[in-house]
Amino acid sequence: MALSKATAKKMKTPPPADGPKHVAIIMDGNGRWATQRGKPRLFGHQAGAKRVRQTVSACPDLGVKYLTIFAFSTENWKRTQTEVSGLMALFRRYIQREASYLQRLGARVRFIGDRAKLDKKLQTLMQYLEDLTSDNDHVHLTIALNYGSRDEVTRATQRLAVEVAEGRLRPDQVDSETLATFLDTYVLPDPDLVIRTSGEARISNFLLWQSAYAEYEFIDTQWPDFTPDVFEAVVRRYGKRERRFGAVPS
Ligand code: FPP
């Protein structure tokens, strides 16, 4: 018997075989989305924050265990004072409002980036959310806040240099695996797929080291329009790609 369209939609399609385990997203296009609607840029960021919840929730059904999102870069301080302080307030509210939902979902939340430069109240909330969710394993959400790859590698190198200078590490012991343990992402697997929304084809200092062999998807959808259906379509496209990691096809 043929299924009705509605029944078929309600049935869970199995996660794509060979789908990405770690997806990283550059959530771009909030400002343009708002401007096109005659609204201030912060309206777009608020709409973007709502998409974060839906995107995290969609991960388990898509077989995505790790989701890393770029919320604020080390370069974003160059935006107007109004936008920066509006974004910081949005991050604080996001943690306050979403903590119990993320906990119920079984999400383990981590933050990467230089948190020392963020305001103290936000730092306290970040620590609270990390502690609250530290035993969860259903999905791993990493939020990059005041994050930039060059800054991360610089901070890692400084700490590594101290280890060498104080004799705990010999220079010849420094290989790429050792260096990776000093990065903010040391507990995470490398991303399999990096998505950037809004039609720009740039990496913008995001996970440069970790994405050396990632697949990239630059899609036209603006972040506030990034529905779970769009997410699923991108994840399924990934399954059709052949990853070679520098080798020849078998
Ligand atoms: C880029 O769009 C987006 C940002 C710099 C901020 C990303 C923040 C959010 C999606 C808000 C919610 C996040 C969390 C974790 C609560 P843009 O402003 O550069 O857009 P434009 O290129 O159209 O100007």
Side-chain angles (χ1 to χ4, degrees), residues 26-36 41 44-53 69-73 76 79 83 87 90-95 98 111 141 143-145 196-198 200 202 222-224:
I26 303 174
M27 307 179 288
D28 196 13
N30 296 345
R32 273 164 289 167
W33 185 89
T35 308
Q36 282 157 11
R41 293 175 58 81
H45 295 314
Q46 282 155 4
K50 290 185 190 137
R51 283 295 173 208
V52 172
R53 175 191 270 221
I69 54 174
F70 205 3
F72 193 87
S73 77
N76 285 151
R79 297 187 174 205
E83 184 165 351
L87 275 167
L90 182 62
F91 298 141
R92 289 194 297 268
R93 276 203 309 277
Y94 173 80
I95 297 174
E98 294 295 285
F111 291 91
L141 170 66
I143 303 177
L145 239 179
R196 182 176 188 137
T197 57
S198 97
E200 310 287 344
R202 285 192 296 275
Q222 288 165 334
W223 176 251

Side-chain angles (χ1 to χ4, degrees), residues 77-118:
W77 298 105
K78 295 176 198 154
R79 297 187 174 205
T80 64
Q81 171 63 27
T82 311
E83 184 165 351
V84 170
S85 56
L87 275 167
M88 294 300 150
L90 182 62
F91 298 141
R92 289 194 297 268
R93 276 203 309 277
Y94 173 80
I95 297 174
Q96 285 163 332
R97 284 188 190 159
E98 294 295 285
S100 59
Y101 174 75
L102 290 162
Q103 175 66 351
R104 279 201 309 282
L105 184 69
R108 174 156 190 183
V109 185
R110 296 181 178 89
F111 291 91
I112 54 170
D114 186 359
R115 60 181 83 187
K117 297 201 175 89
L118 299 168

Side-chain angles (χ1 to χ4, degrees), residues 4-241:
S4 75
K5 240 181 168 178
T7 314
K9 208 170 162 52
K10 268 186 223 140
M11 281 178 59
K12 268 190 190 158
T13 1
D18 304 324
K21 294 287 162 271
H22 185 174
V23 175
I25 308 184
I26 303 174
M27 307 179 288
D28 196 13
N30 296 345
R32 273 164 289 167
W33 185 89
T35 308
Q36 282 157 11
R37 284 158 180 77
K39 304 274 190 190
R41 293 175 58 81
L42 272 170
F43 182 76
H45 295 314
Q46 282 155 4
K50 290 185 190 137
R51 283 295 173 208
V52 172
R53 175 191 270 221
Q54 284 185 320
T55 307
V56 184
S57 313
C59 284
D61 283 348
L62 294 174
V64 174
K65 188 83 178 167
Y66 295 86
L67 176 72
T68 300
I69 54 174
F70 205 3
F72 193 87
S73 77
T74 44
E75 288 71 38
N76 285 151
W77 298 105
K78 295 176 198 154
R79 297 187 174 205
T80 64
Q81 171 63 27
T82 311
E83 184 165 351
V84 170
S85 56
L87 275 167
M88 294 300 150
L90 182 62
F91 298 141
R92 289 194 297 268
R93 276 203 309 277
Y94 173 80
I95 297 174
Q96 285 163 332
R97 284 188 190 159
E98 294 295 285
S100 59
Y101 174 75
L102 290 162
Q103 175 66 351
R104 279 201 309 282
L105 184 69
R108 174 156 190 183
V109 185
R110 296 181 178 89
F111 291 91
I112 54 170
D114 186 359
R115 60 181 83 187
K117 297 201 175 89
L118 299 168
D119 76 60
K120 288 284 174 287
K121 174 135 194 250
L122 179 54
Q123 286 186 43
T124 306
L125 285 165
M126 289 159 69
Q127 191 60 54
Y128 158 75
L129 187 56
E130 285 183 332
D131 293 344
L132 177 76
T133 62
S134 63
D135 290 332
N136 297 340
D137 185 44
H138 193 47
V139 55
H140 292 246
L141 170 66
T142 303
I143 303 177
L145 239 179
N146 193 27
Y147 174 86
S149 271
R150 288 183 174 182
D151 177 66
E152 177 192 34
V153 173
T154 306
R155 284 185 285 107
T157 309
Q158 280 170 358
R159 288 193 290 123
L160 204 150
V162 171
E163 294 301 297
V164 172
E166 295 183 356
R168 287 186 291 275
L169 200 62
R170 289 194 318 269
D172 62 286
Q173 289 175 314
V174 180
D175 54 17
S176 65
E177 276 174 32
T178 311
L179 178 53
T181 64
F182 287 82
L183 296 174
D184 297 351
T185 50
Y186 66 100
V187 288
L188 303 175
D190 285 344
D192 303 299
L193 172 65
V194 180
I195 303 169
R196 182 176 188 137
T197 57
S198 97
E200 310 287 344
R202 285 192 296 275
I203 306 169
S204 300
N205 204 8
F206 185 48
L207 301 177
L208 299 181
W209 173 282
Q210 298 86 342
S211 301
Y213 283 100
E215 298 289 324
Y216 282 86
E217 279 269 357
F218 299 103
I219 60 169
D220 288 336
T221 310
Q222 288 165 334
W223 176 251
D225 292 328
F226 188 84
T227 60
D229 284 349
V230 176
F231 190 19
E232 179 171 352
V234 180
V235 165
R236 289 192 185 276
R237 270 206 296 281
Y238 168 93
K240 299 196 173 71
R241 293 182 178 205

